[in-house]
Amino acid sequence: MQAPLLEVKNLKKYFDTPNGLLHAVDDVSFTIEKSKTLGVVGESGCGKSTLGRTILHLLDSTSGTILFNGRDITKVGKAQLKELRRDMQIIFQDPFSSLDPRKCVSDIIAEPMLIYKKYPNRKAAMEKVAELMETVGLAARLAYSYPHELDGGRRQRIGIARALALDPQFIVCDEPVSALDVSIQAQILNLMQDIQQERKLTYVFITHNLSVVKHISDDIMVMYLGNMIEKAAKQELFQRPLHPYTQALLSAIPIPDIDVPKKRILLRGEVTSPIDPKPGCRFAPRCQYAKPECFETNPEIQEVVPGHFAACHRVREINSLGSECGGGQV
Ligand code: SF4
């Protein structure tokens, strides 16, 4: 196993609100190897976007550690942060609002290169822009078009080209295809996979769409109200979801075969507030397996079977598992 590119340990991001402390990301730990994709999935408001932004220092962490290439980047000064931006980039969900409407395509893509003085002059930067436009499938004739003149797919291609402008190693992809038509989604996902292979990029891919996460990820992490509640390799997670919440999520994926019966698990009950959350499992009010102990302590994430982690007091009982494994690193 190669050394991880990114190691996140016990990361927390809390927000002060008039009603109390909002636990947006609460004690999340994971590692990603170079050139791999970690899919982060969960309902809206589970903290997945906050997690991505905290890793990139777009938000300050409350506590925890972030190691990048083995270097502690949890607290960095302005100069170090500028250096980090070369290696760590983001692709946003809404390409339209993330692009400067006053700039044409070539200027948008060139901007990071000019700020970072990556090339000796504007001409060299513009040659790189042309190369990047070709990489992401944007016709050269669009170089002087403005974002409002283009469709969503093309705008997202600009967002991808811009993210690649500084030759990063790591990209947080924050719902990059959610705002696009289904037919365009597949094109953008395939493009992102091709670019990843060519450039050995590492992705954290944030989405609420299970089909998308299945298509693009190597490993998948499931979040619920700020907590990481399950993590495993993609095939393992889809074949054997262990946490009751993941089981409910996967039961909602439609199967294109009417002869295969499928029982959908409906979640009932109130969603717990992430503001000053009560002790106990945050999923307990909606969990069909909840017992009194579940309302007392929040379960720790544990390795239930080799390489497969879940945070549930009753995970072995629910899934009829023995104590196959115990206590590996997330
Ligand atoms: Fe359900 Fe209890 Fe497991 Fe939480 S800890 S998921 S409430 S069984």
Side-chain angles (χ1 to χ4, degrees):
M1 187 173 136
Q2 55 174 303
L5 181 82
L6 182 75
E7 277 182 83
V8 171
K9 295 181 188 166
N10 308 107
L11 192 66
K12 295 184 183 179
K13 175 62 192 172
Y14 295 170
F15 294 97
D16 239 331
T17 74
N19 300 322
L21 212 50
L22 190 153
H23 293 221
V25 174
D26 213 354
D27 212 8
V28 169
S29 302
F30 61 88
T31 58
I32 318 176
E33 284 174 38
K34 202 169 168 40
S35 313
K36 299 281 183 198
T37 299
L38 174 71
V40 181
V41 70
E43 289 166 310
S44 162
C46 70
K48 50 193 191 308
S49 289
T50 305
L51 173 67
R53 280 154 210 247
T54 309
I55 293 169
L56 292 182
H57 286 272
L58 296 174
L59 295 168
D60 289 332
S61 59
T62 303
S63 66
T65 311
I66 306 165
L67 300 177
F68 185 69
N69 272 326
R71 196 177 122 219
D72 190 346
I73 59 158
T74 318
K75 301 279 175 224
V76 286
K78 252 189 167 175
Q80 286 171 298
L81 192 56
K82 196 173 173 206
E83 272 309 301
L84 268 182
R85 287 273 175 269
R86 283 179 194 273
D87 285 330
M88 304 175 94
Q89 287 286 325
I90 184 165
I91 299 170
F92 292 98
Q93 173 179 3
D94 181 355
F96 195 46
S97 60
S98 65
L99 303 175
D100 187 340
R102 296 161 304 171
K103 289 197 160 92
C104 66
V105 173
S106 56
D107 284 346
I108 291 172
I109 301 172
E111 191 181 30
M113 300 177 199
L114 298 172
I115 292 172
Y116 278 79
K117 300 187 174 56
K118 189 166 166 62
Y119 296 96
N121 51 49
R122 191 176 164 82
K123 186 171 173 279
M126 285 304 168
E127 279 167 17
K128 180 72 182 173
V129 167
E131 203 182 288
L132 278 172
M133 284 182 68
E134 196 181 334
T135 303
V136 301
L138 280 170
R141 68 183 157 77
L142 300 176
Y144 299 103
S145 301
Y146 287 83
H148 72 270
E149 297 173 311
L150 304 174
D151 60 33
R154 287 197 178 102
R155 282 184 210 139
Q156 196 52 295
R157 286 175 197 269
I158 303 171
I160 295 170
R162 190 183 153 92
L164 296 175
L166 297 175
D167 294 321
Q169 299 180 51
F170 170 73
I171 302 183
V172 170
C173 313
D174 189 1
E175 302 261 17
V177 295
S178 306
L180 305 177
D181 290 346
V182 176
S183 58
I184 310 287
Q185 286 188 3
Q187 292 172 17
I188 297 292
L189 285 176
N190 291 337
L191 170 68
M192 292 181 72
Q193 279 184 314
D194 292 346
I195 291 171
Q196 178 176 37
Q197 275 175 11
E198 270 165 35
R199 296 172 173 247
K200 308 264 176 288
L201 285 168
T202 307
Y203 290 154
V204 162
F205 198 100
I206 295 165
T207 179
H208 64 278
N209 185 325
L210 289 163
S211 307
V212 167
V213 89
K214 190 176 186 183
H215 182 83
I216 200 148
S217 307
D218 295 294
D219 292 330
I220 296 177
M221 175 169 115
V222 184
M223 288 186 71
Y224 187 80
L225 284 181
N227 287 150
M228 162 186 178
I229 52 129
E230 186 154 8
K231 180 175 175 271
K234 170 175 69 179
Q235 289 84 352
E236 164 73 10
L237 190 112
F238 273 85
Q239 274 164 21
R240 179 163 59 165
L242 296 178
H243 194 283
Y245 174 65
T246 315
Q247 291 169 355
L249 276 186
L250 297 196
S251 79
I253 301 177
I255 293 179
D257 185 346
I258 53 167
D259 294 330
V260 180
K262 188 161 188 201
K263 194 168 168 247
R264 177 149 187 205
I265 303 167
L266 291 174
L267 293 178
R268 297 198 168 83
E270 289 282 305
V271 179
T272 311
S273 170
I275 296 177
D276 296 328
K278 296 189 191 105
C281 172
R282 290 181 195 171
F283 186 57
R286 299 169 85 190
C287 180
Q288 58 176 318
Y289 303 106
K291 290 240 166 139
E293 72 200 76
C294 300
F295 291 89
E296 283 160 21
T297 47
N298 199 7
E300 300 235 333
I301 193 106
Q302 53 173 313
E303 192 173 22
V304 184
V305 290
H308 194 153
F309 300 81
C312 169
H313 293 306
R314 304 188 62 211
V315 65
R316 294 181 201 283
E317 207 182 327
I318 291 165
N319 296 288
S320 310
L321 296 169
S323 40
E324 286 179 47
C325 192
Q329 273 235 314
V330 189

